[in-house]
Amino acid sequence: RHKFWETQPVGQFKEIGNTSLPEGPIEAPTPLSEVKQEPYNLPNLYEWVTCEINSEEVCNEIYNLLANNYVEDDENMFRFNYSKEFLRWALQPPGYFKSWHIGVRVKSSKKMVAFISGIPARIRVRDEVVNMAEINFLCVHKKLRTKRLAPVMIKEVTRRVHLENIWQATYTAGVVLPTPIATCQYWHRSLNPKKLIDVGFSRLGARMTMSRTIKLYKLPESTVTQGFRKMKILDVPAVTRLIRNYLSQFVVAPDFDEHDVEHWLLPKENVVDSYLVESPETHEVTDFCSFYTLPSSILGNQNYSTLKAAYSFYNVSTKTPLLQLMNDALIVAKQRDYDVFNALDVMHNETFLKELKFGPGDGKLHYYLYNYRIRHALNPSELGLVLL
Ligand code: YNC
Ligand code: MG
């Protein structure tokens, strides 16, 4: 059934329900000298390239490959349109490896036709912190699909991860592979319902008019929580303490230090936004919320070309109720002209989704670990990890 995935050290479908298998690494690391030194073979017309993402030209090529060939919804109405600034941010966290930014070019024309990337991350699984790669942006040009290029790309990134003495990975995908550690769902909160309906992202509810729908999703002009403000660089230590403490309750979560928090959570225009609540009395940072910016191209609409979407990232409430905090996040997203606010049902998100008028999306997001077994599938609420 899965000719490639059956050969890989991942939880296999036939093992489901077998509680005698131990949790942890499936295969032991091999000595680095035994890791294959040469790249895997590509079909003869193609060549590997290590991408210099800081080059404007290379960044453009990756951007264009993804903008035209990356993930679409089931009905092919929308396609992710990660910005160049976003890609640079997503691919260059502290300690990143340039060798994990892997392109495939046509030898003769040098056209970039495929891409896969990894970044290093410390991921805690129960009480073990594991050095992992987060694999993302696997993309093969539409004209080269179903030729078994993806398995070669996955083996090549795996080889380059092994060369850095890292033996585990995590990734998410919309497709079911052996074997999800959790299956999550996206929820969508309309901010600009008229546009969302016009472009076919959402539909007018039963017995609803456009004006009743607009009224239903109306939000206050400004945030309500006292002390709610944008995160600044001086907040990094306090936010790190807050987030570390919060994430410690989940079964799978990143082990963020101050460098990670500065990279992933300090606001970056049109990439990531973070807000916190500073107590007006004690000046303590008690609550935090963040979202990243990922527009989608609208395919074949006369009036609109992009959907501006905010994606819930990491949120922590200790004093402000999570519902109120997220309502303030919706308000700032609306002020900044986002059309929709998306969130997965991970962490404590279930507690605000329905109440804040998010609706369930179609399609699931499956979370995976490579070369690390967990005994049984987790509930989304046991996940403290959001990948881009
Ligand atoms: C996928 N998304 O099952 P079997 S998510 C992993 N992730 O293998 P071919 C996938 N595997 O079943 P195509 C996959 N999609 O026979 C398909 N596969 O064992 C498997 N789409 O290869 C599939 N981006 O080349 C099958 O298929 C085999 O030409 C078939 O290429 C697939 O980034 C793809 O959705 C996805 O660009 C590249 O369809 C192509 O269809 C495409 O014949 C649009 O491949 C964009 C898209 C995927 C987004 C993502 C996470 C990727 C994770 C990869 C796995 C990493 C493992 C850990 C490595 C490091 C380890 C260490 C240490
Ligand atoms: Mg292919």
Side-chain angles (χ1 to χ4, degrees), residues 132-306:
M132 294 199 193
E134 291 179 359
I135 307 298
N136 204 349
F137 306 115
L138 166 60
C139 183
V140 168
H141 193 285
K142 288 188 176 205
K143 293 197 168 146
L144 298 179
R145 297 277 170 87
T146 66
K147 298 174 185 297
R148 310 301 296 184
L149 218 49
V152 187
M153 302 189 65
I154 293 166
K155 284 191 277 187
E156 181 60 13
V157 76
T158 301
R159 189 183 72 82
R160 296 184 190 201
V161 169
H162 287 168
L163 287 172
E164 302 300 338
N165 199 23
I166 294 175
W167 305 88
Q168 271 74 34
T170 183
Y171 47 102
T172 57
V175 292
V176 178
L177 306 164
T179 298
I181 60 159
T183 294
C184 300
Q185 195 171 24
Y186 269 112
W187 290 65
H188 310 284
R189 206 297 184 179
S190 299
L191 301 174
N192 186 356
K194 171 138 191 345
K195 176 172 168 184
L196 294 178
I197 290 166
D198 285 351
V199 302
F201 183 88
S202 38
R203 267 185 294 209
L204 212 50
R207 298 175 301 282
M208 285 294 277
T209 62
M210 190 61 84
S211 58
R212 283 186 64 197
T213 305
I214 291 169
K215 194 169 153 203
L216 174 68
Y217 291 115
K218 208 157 178 52
L219 287 161
E221 294 284 328
S222 50
T223 58
V224 305
T225 307
Q226 292 301 306
F228 187 88
R229 63 165 174 83
K230 219 174 162 106
M231 180 190 175
K232 303 180 226 162
I233 186 128
L234 282 172
D235 299 316
V236 164
V239 168
T240 305
R241 284 194 298 273
L242 188 70
I243 289 239
R244 285 186 64 82
N245 182 52
Y246 180 75
L247 291 180
S248 69
Q249 70 190 293
F250 301 104
V251 176
V252 177
D255 181 60
F256 282 147
D257 65 16
E258 292 188 4
H259 300 287
D260 302 316
V261 166
E262 177 172 341
H263 179 83
W264 291 120
L265 299 174
L266 197 62
K268 205 181 256 321
E269 178 100 346
N270 293 316
V271 172
V272 62
D273 281 87
S274 300
Y275 292 83
L276 53 73
V277 183
E278 176 180 338
S279 160
E281 299 89 40
T282 65
H283 298 285
E284 253 185 314
V285 176
T286 55
D287 312 277
F288 177 85
C289 62
S290 59
F291 56 86
Y292 62 84
T293 297
L294 168 50
S296 278
S297 303
I298 304 170
L299 310 175
N301 186 278
Q302 299 297 301
N303 303 315
Y304 298 100
S305 61
T306 44

Side-chain angles (χ1 to χ4, degrees), residues 52-86:
E52 176 49 81
I53 186 89
N54 291 316
S55 142
E56 196 59 39
E57 193 185 335
V58 173
C59 192
N60 257 316
E61 293 179 87
I62 298 168
Y63 169 81
N64 285 318
L65 174 72
L66 296 178
N68 294 309
N69 301 278
Y70 199 50
V71 177
E72 300 181 7
D73 66 302
D74 290 338
E75 276 118 61
N76 311 102
M77 295 173 71
F78 309 98
R79 184 163 57 235
F80 284 146
N81 184 10
Y82 288 91
S83 70
K84 286 185 258 178
E85 270 315 295
F86 190 110

